[in-house]
Amino acid sequence: MTGCFIVLEGGEGSGKSTQAQLLYERLVAFGRDAVLTYEPGDSSLGEEIRQLLLHREDAVDERAELLLMLADRAQHVATVVKPALARDAVVVCDRFTPSSLAYQGIGRALGVEAVEWMSTYASVGVSPDLVVVLDLPDQIANARVSQEPDRFERAGNEFHAAVRNAYRYLAPLHEWTLLDASGTREEVAEQIWALVRPILP
């Protein structure tokens, strides 16, 4: 595979979905074959898994949550990510393995090492060329959360603070780029482009 795999990460309200869309549009304008995708849910099977993960009202066991995430990732890599990389496309993904490490590994206390091993198995070793973690202070991020929150968004401020701290802790250990996302949408987009442009094949 000779394409380029870029992942945007961050806690709830960080703006990663907006920035993923802007980066995708810029890549297309730049003349690149680009694919915009996301986890969980960007496959036919993934759509069903996403409903189970985000919109169930009853409790979901932490291990069941992780295994559903990994089932989605396996299908996503097989049907979306690998085929796009095989044709030399630039894949922009909203969440990938780093989310599992932060949310389930640390946030749900399942253990980073175990979650990383399982995710590597699910993704058949496919890993990003660049991971950008959008970081915001808790107060700003909490104010941006959707008015119709999903199951993760309803997890509470303590959980979300733990996830944001998890990203900050994990970023230097995994060579992810931690980016201050408190600027304007345009300012953050320019910072992301400055990171992406040099690694494009």
Side-chain angles (χ1 to χ4, degrees), residues 37-111:
T37 187
Y38 60 90
E39 289 190 356
D42 197 15
S43 68
S44 56
L45 175 62
E47 288 179 10
E48 297 179 48
I49 295 174
R50 184 180 179 89
Q51 289 298 314
L52 293 173
L53 282 166
L54 301 187
H55 302 298
R56 288 185 68 87
E57 294 299 326
D58 55 330
V60 178
D61 179 80
E62 289 88 351
R63 289 165 182 79
E65 177 182 282
L66 171 63
L67 292 169
L68 285 167
M69 286 287 189
L70 296 179
D72 172 77
R73 181 160 303 135
Q75 187 74 2
H76 182 226
V77 167
T79 62
V80 179
V81 178
K82 283 185 71 176
L85 293 176
R87 70 166 195 262
D88 298 337
V90 180
V91 178
V92 178
C93 192
D94 177 349
R95 296 202 184 284
F96 197 64
T97 295
S99 284
S100 298
L101 302 186
Y103 278 76
Q104 285 78 43
I106 293 180
R108 302 297 196 202
L110 296 180

Side-chain angles (χ1 to χ4, degrees), residues 27-44:
L27 286 163
V28 171
F30 198 63
R32 303 306 300 255
D33 177 8
V35 172
L36 177 63
T37 187
Y38 60 90
E39 289 190 356
D42 197 15
S43 68
S44 56

Side-chain angles (χ1 to χ4, degrees), residues 8-20 94-95 99 103 132-146 153 160 163-164 167-168 178-185 188-189 192:
L8 297 187
E9 286 282 352
E12 308 302 326
S14 62
K16 59 184 178 40
S17 299
T18 297
Q19 291 300 331
D94 177 349
R95 296 202 184 284
S99 284
Y103 278 76
V132 180
V133 178
L134 302 183
D135 186 47
L136 280 176
D138 291 348
Q139 280 187 317
I140 297 175
N142 290 337
R144 291 184 179 180
V145 172
S146 168
E153 291 170 335
H160 294 307
V163 167
R164 293 183 196 110
Y167 277 118
R168 294 166 192 145
L178 193 66
L179 186 66
D180 181 358
S182 59
T184 66
R185 187 176 74 165
V188 175
I192 293 172

Side-chain angles (χ1 to χ4, degrees), residues 101-170:
L101 302 186
Y103 278 76
Q104 285 78 43
I106 293 180
R108 302 297 196 202
L110 296 180
V112 170
E113 187 175 331
V115 172
E116 188 163 25
W117 184 90
M118 294 171 71
S119 187
T120 299
Y121 177 76
S123 63
V124 290
V126 173
S127 60
D129 297 291
L130 174 69
V131 175
V132 180
V133 178
L134 302 183
D135 186 47
L136 280 176
D138 291 348
Q139 280 187 317
I140 297 175
N142 290 337
R144 291 184 179 180
V145 172
S146 168
Q147 297 303 307
E148 297 180 3
D150 60 37
R151 194 175 62 83
F152 283 102
E153 291 170 335
R154 295 193 302 269
N157 291 343
E158 184 176 342
F159 175 76
H160 294 307
V163 167
R164 293 183 196 110
N165 284 330
Y167 277 118
R168 294 166 192 145
Y169 166 73
L170 293 166

